[in-house]
Amino acid sequence: MHIPERNQQAPEATQPQERVSPSSDQPAANWEADVAQTVQLGEQLIGFAGGVIDLARTEALLAVHTLPKVMMLWLIMMPIILLTWCSFSALVAWSVVALSEQLGLGMLTFFLLQVLLLFVCRWLFVKYRARMTFPYTRAHIDNFVRSTKNEFSRRSETKE
């Protein structure tokens, strides 16, 4: 790489430059630079959007391919969860039998644990079912409709 010495002038510096009024050339140069910068920004934005779309498509395909594995794992886990709960209930019931020496009290404890689980599941079911009705969205829409009706009724009253 050749580095020019300090006393040498660049070739364009040796030629006489024409005097151009700065007011007429400056806006055109700024405009061209702004357009070039905007085009470059647009190209970067399009490249970014394309990259995000490709990444989302790839992750969606990965999720679709993973779904059967998750479903199989859930099917395997369900009996294990049920057996774990039954084992826990039996352990608690056996502890009650060991402490009280009454078999009926242990069986009642086992039964009450199952009923408790049913109540908790029923409570969660009602809670989740209520969420599935989109209560906040419906309230927002109802509020909008109500305010619109009120606005129209006020306008009709002022016209009369």
Side-chain angles (χ1 to χ4, degrees), residues 6-54:
R6 287 189 178 187
N7 58 3
Q8 290 181 346
Q9 294 181 349
E12 56 272 350
T14 58
Q15 300 173 358
Q17 294 184 359
E18 296 178 15
R19 293 265 180 196
V20 178
S21 63
S23 62
S24 65
D25 193 31
Q26 190 68 17
N30 285 343
W31 186 78
E32 289 174 3
D34 289 346
V35 168
Q37 202 172 27
T38 304
V39 168
Q40 185 181 12
L41 182 64
E43 289 173 352
Q44 289 176 353
L45 183 64
I46 289 171
F48 172 75
V52 168
I53 290 170
D54 286 344

Side-chain angles (χ1 to χ4, degrees), residues 65-100:
H65 288 281
T66 306
L67 188 63
K69 295 173 186 171
V70 170
M71 293 300 293
M72 286 303 298
L73 186 62
W74 180 248
L75 289 173
I76 290 171
M77 284 175 48
M78 283 306 296
I80 294 170
I81 291 170
L82 291 172
L83 285 172
T84 303
W85 173 254
C86 287
S87 299
F88 172 74
S89 298
L91 177 66
V92 171
W94 187 263
S95 298
V96 168
V97 168
L99 291 174
S100 68

